Amino acid sequence: MKKETLKQKAYNFILEKIINCDYKPDTMLNEELLKQETGMSRTPIRDALSRLEQDGLVSIKSKKGILVMPLSFNEINHLFETRILIEPFALKEYGYTLDGQTVLSFYRKALSLKGTETQAENFELDDEFHSLIVNNIPNPYLRQCYDIISAQTKRSRVFTGAYKKERLAESNKEHIVILEECLKNDWEAAAEAMKRHLLTSKNLTLSILLENDKISM
């Protein structure tokens, strides 16, 4: 197994902090803080920041610091526009190739959730569910497109869950509906259920942004 480099460790550390909103949207970081928190030198941190800037997660401001990019109104619109184009399409066109036992396993996991799970456990299952659908697409360009928005998708999920904790249970119920249609091999209905699920998530996230005056056009 290839050993993780310091640059990769720094990248993964900062990325995780951004995704989990430990480094909140629209806040400033600085290299000294990152050196203290990572225990690493300036070189791997700068490399990590450069990659994160390319990912659209930070903006390096000369003589000011590092801005954690806000979850803006436009960003959320673009994010869900992409997801709504890809995920229902994945079910409608390629759902029939999903492994039935894997779908059944996810269905049973969703049914077994009792509301006592941690947010991290819920987010992990949510991510696994959506990844299952997208990774089943044989078209590598569509999968790569989804990979590009993966970090922002996770950050959006954490952000919404922090403000609307009941969304975790609601989202799980929506997953159950999607999975039931998959188990019936009704891929049109599964695609429609997925679209409704994504639109609900989008509208809730936008409403939270409006309520908290966090919009950055």
Side-chain angles (χ1 to χ4, degrees), residues 11 44-56 58 60:
Y11 174 82
I45 288 171
R46 286 188 171 177
D47 182 85
L49 290 172
S50 178
R51 287 179 61 190
L52 289 162
E53 188 169 41
Q54 291 175 8
D55 294 341
V58 304
I60 300 170

Side-chain angles (χ1 to χ4, degrees), residues 142-192:
L142 286 177
R143 294 199 308 271
Q144 288 168 18
C145 183
Y146 196 84
D147 285 343
I148 291 170
I149 64 169
S150 175
Q152 286 288 47
T153 295
K154 292 175 185 177
R155 187 163 73 130
S156 169
R157 187 178 294 138
V158 172
F159 176 81
T160 304
Y163 281 92
K164 300 285 184 182
K165 298 191 186 305
E166 63 272 22
R167 178 58 189 155
L168 296 173
E170 293 167 358
S171 183
N172 186 57
K173 289 177 183 177
E174 291 161 16
H175 289 169
I176 289 171
V177 172
I178 297 166
L179 287 162
E180 285 174 343
E181 300 299 350
C182 291
L183 290 170
K184 291 187 286 188
N185 294 320
D186 190 339
W187 304 112
E188 288 270 1
E192 282 301 312

